Amino acid sequence: MGNFGNLMDGFVIALSGYHVALMVAGVLMGILVGVLPGLGAPNGVSLLLPLTFTMDPVSAIILLTSMYWGALFGGSTTSILFNIPGEPSSVATTFDGYPMAKKGEAGRALTLAFLSAATGALFGVVVITALSGWVAEFALKFSSPEYFAVYFLTFASFIGMGSASPFKTLVSMMLGFAFATVGMDTVSGSLRLTFGFTDLIKGISFLVAVIGLFGIGELIVTMEEGLRFEGIRAKVTPRDVLHTIARMPRHWVTLLRSCIVGSWMGITPGGPTAASFMSYGLAKRFSRRKEGFGSGEPAGVVAPEAADHSAGTCAILPMMALGVPGSATAAVMMGGLMIWGLNPGPMLFIERPDFVWGLIASMYLGNVVAVVLVLSTVPLFAAILRIPLAIIGPVIVIVCFIGAYTVASSTTDLWFVLAFGVAGYAFKKLDYPIAPLVLAMVLGDKAEGAFQQSMIMSKGGLGIFFSNGLVSTIMALALLLLFWPLAGMLVSRLRRHGM
């Protein structure tokens, strides 16, 4: 009853007229961010974050999460109508969504995608609701060694469980740590890597880095590829919606499996992209109509969309509960929490239950708002993509630079945006993951602080990280994940040599 009572209190907060208006505004901005090339959820949230600095934290997180849901739906729209994924996690949707649209079933494909996404998001929120009470009870067991062990587990998970090359993930993460150390050490007060520049004393803002990496970098890649947005015109009618709802029970096994996969990949650092591809592969493997995949099979739309949204939703739980973001967007949101004066972690559930449960309640409502708005605005946002890239491109660049300047009103940040934009382009071309770099920039200071405090507690002894059952278990799991790719390489080499 405790969780149910807290959830009802959360609905009282989320159902205010102001918060519902924020949901509508956030979803509409998110859909726009999702359909425009070169933007996307991480960059859209980071551009909006400076506008929330003066807002109440509950209102601010409702606005940002609503934008996140809208961006995910916007990515699905472009995948189906234009064969252009607005989000990396929407790539798998193009495999069958666009062929369905070319067959004249664009309305059905869009409705199928949105309803599957809504089911996945609802499943994810139910998981968060169920686990939140347990997290609150777990809160008092954490001290500095446990926090460092959790951060270490997060970094190791990206290396051991990520879809990218472990070496490339490690390189990306190390660069993030290097950027995070720029400025003043919070424990000793000494300056590091400032090279005599006073503008570097405050460090490099992760928001500026995200805007450059995801905004400018993605846009350069888009312009280089010379994309032409010649999509399929479509609108979703009430008949499409009712017909698709009636046929949804046929896909209940695919939906349930995809929701479970997505929730797991969201709570762990697998992320929405890996979840969507994994669910698509499982749907094809267990389908009786394998030959239909890739040519307009409805299950090929249901699986990635349900997994994408359940993963995107569940990524918020470890961000709030442990201070461990499960995706790049969750990392940006966690940075927002710290800017608003909140400390992500187990104690957040005890110290600010109004924030936690207001957010969880808004996630139920925000996804309903997102489904209604995206179904009714498909023609409008699809028409935006028919504007030439020569016009959209400069507008996106201007928005990115304005967003970066509003973070600290510093002209130095504009140069950083440009530098990170070039770095983002290079990462894309060389197939290096960007999310680990953002994660390391956000968590670097917190991990370093927890490590230093642990060393002070133990007078320099590393044994403190194995001093009790909880921290020993977390560290052992982290070390296992860290060396998992190496073990896999050794096994493969032994098999090649017949050993």
Side-chain angles (χ1 to χ4, degrees):
M1 284 297 293
N3 278 13
F4 181 77
N6 289 329
L7 184 60
M8 291 302 103
D9 292 339
F11 274 113
V12 172
I13 296 170
L15 277 171
S16 70
Y18 176 56
H19 287 154
V20 172
L22 285 179
M23 288 179 208
V24 173
V27 167
L28 289 174
M29 285 188 287
I31 297 172
L32 178 62
V33 162
V35 301
L36 285 177
L39 287 177
N43 193 47
V45 171
S46 62
L47 287 171
L48 192 61
L49 191 55
L51 303 179
T52 68
F53 291 168
T54 57
M55 295 174 66
D56 172 75
V58 178
S59 303
I61 197 68
I62 287 175
L63 179 62
L64 293 184
T65 51
S66 297
M67 186 178 197
Y68 183 28
W69 313 141
L72 291 176
F73 280 111
S76 307
T77 302
T78 57
S79 295
I80 291 169
L81 296 184
F82 293 84
N83 202 28
I84 299 168
E87 293 283 324
S89 57
S90 298
V91 172
T93 306
T94 63
F95 299 159
D96 285 277
Y98 186 64
M100 282 184 73
K102 286 203 297 183
K103 290 178 180 178
E105 297 182 317
R108 182 188 172 202
L110 288 166
T111 308
L112 200 62
F114 299 151
L115 292 177
S116 301
T119 304
L122 176 62
F123 188 93
V125 184
V126 170
V127 169
I128 291 177
T129 305
L131 294 180
S132 293
W134 174 79
V135 169
E137 293 176 7
F138 200 55
L140 298 176
K141 298 181 180 179
F142 274 66
S143 60
S144 295
E146 284 79 12
Y147 275 114
F148 175 77
V150 169
Y151 297 138
F152 184 50
L153 174 62
T154 307
F155 302 137
S157 297
F158 265 85
I159 295 170
M161 298 178 62
S163 55
S165 159
F167 173 76
K168 291 182 176 180
T169 301
L170 184 62
V171 170
S172 177
M173 202 173 285
M174 290 299 107
L175 284 172
F177 287 138
F179 293 134
T181 58
V182 174
M184 184 178 292
D185 180 9
T186 54
V187 175
S188 68
S190 60
L191 297 180
R192 303 179 297 187
L193 302 178
T194 57
F195 305 104
F197 292 100
T198 54
D199 285 339
L200 290 178
I201 292 176
K202 68 182 186 303
I204 300 174
S205 168
F206 78 94
L207 283 177
V208 172
V210 170
I211 291 170
L213 290 167
F214 288 99
I216 305 299
E218 289 277 0
L219 186 62
I220 296 172
V221 173
T222 302
M223 293 176 68
E224 182 187 47
E225 292 173 352
L227 292 177
R228 297 181 64 189
F229 308 118
E230 296 177 356
I232 297 166
R233 296 183 183 275
K235 65 177 180 177
V236 180
T237 64
R239 185 171 177 272
D240 289 326
V241 176
L242 293 173
H243 183 67
T244 306
I245 289 174
R247 297 169 68 97
M248 283 296 284
R250 299 183 180 187
H251 305 292
W252 74 270
V253 175
T254 302
L255 268 174
L256 181 60
R257 181 176 58 235
S258 300
C259 288
I260 293 171
V261 169
S263 297
W264 170 250
M265 297 298 281
I267 292 173
T268 63
T273 304
S276 62
F277 276 100
M278 184 183 297
S279 294
Y280 182 87
L282 290 172
K284 184 176 181 179
R285 179 176 181 182
F286 292 107
S287 175
R288 297 175 181 176
R289 301 177 50 176
K290 294 182 177 64
E291 67 284 349
F293 280 76
S295 59
E297 173 63 30
V301 176
V302 170
E305 285 297 311
D308 179 5
H309 283 248
S310 60
T313 303
C314 284
I316 293 175
L317 176 62
M319 179 269 287
M320 290 195 303
L322 298 173
V324 176
S327 67
T329 310
V332 177
M333 288 184 187
M334 195 182 89
L337 262 66
M338 292 187 285
I339 291 171
W340 303 327
L342 301 178
N343 290 316
M347 291 303 294
L348 182 65
F349 287 73
I350 294 174
E351 295 171 352
R352 288 297 304 269
D354 61 321
F355 175 85
V356 172
W357 290 102
L359 169 59
I360 292 173
S362 77
M363 290 164 72
Y364 283 99
L365 299 172
N367 277 290
V368 174
V369 171
V371 172
V372 173
L373 287 177
V374 78
L375 284 171
S376 57
T377 58
V378 163
L380 171 65
F381 286 104
I384 291 174
L385 267 181
R386 294 186 175 89
I387 301 172
L389 186 61
I391 296 174
I392 293 179
V395 171
I396 293 173
V397 171
I398 292 170
V399 169
C400 287
F401 277 102
I402 291 174
Y405 186 76
T406 57
V407 172
S409 300
S410 170
T411 53
T412 304
D413 286 343
L414 302 182
W415 289 106
F416 277 130
V417 167
L418 198 58
F420 278 108
V422 174
Y425 169 76
F427 269 53
K428 282 284 183 181
K429 300 302 289 185
L430 298 174
D431 200 26
Y432 276 74
I434 296 176
L437 189 152
V438 176
L439 176 83
M441 286 192 70
V442 172
L443 287 184
D445 279 346
K446 294 170 71 68
E448 183 184 17
F451 180 80
Q452 289 175 319
Q453 290 167 10
S454 300
M455 291 297 95
I456 292 170
M457 289 169 61
S458 67
K459 299 181 180 179
L462 292 175
I464 193 171
F465 297 116
F466 298 91
S467 57
N468 61 61
L470 177 60
V471 72
S472 298
T473 301
I474 298 173
M475 286 296 290
L477 183 58
L479 290 169
L480 176 65
L481 288 172
L482 181 64
F483 293 107
W484 186 260
L486 184 61
M489 290 169 57
L490 289 173
V491 170
S492 299
R493 183 168 294 182
L494 289 174
R495 284 178 178 173
R496 281 200 302 269
H497 289 82
M499 299 176 66

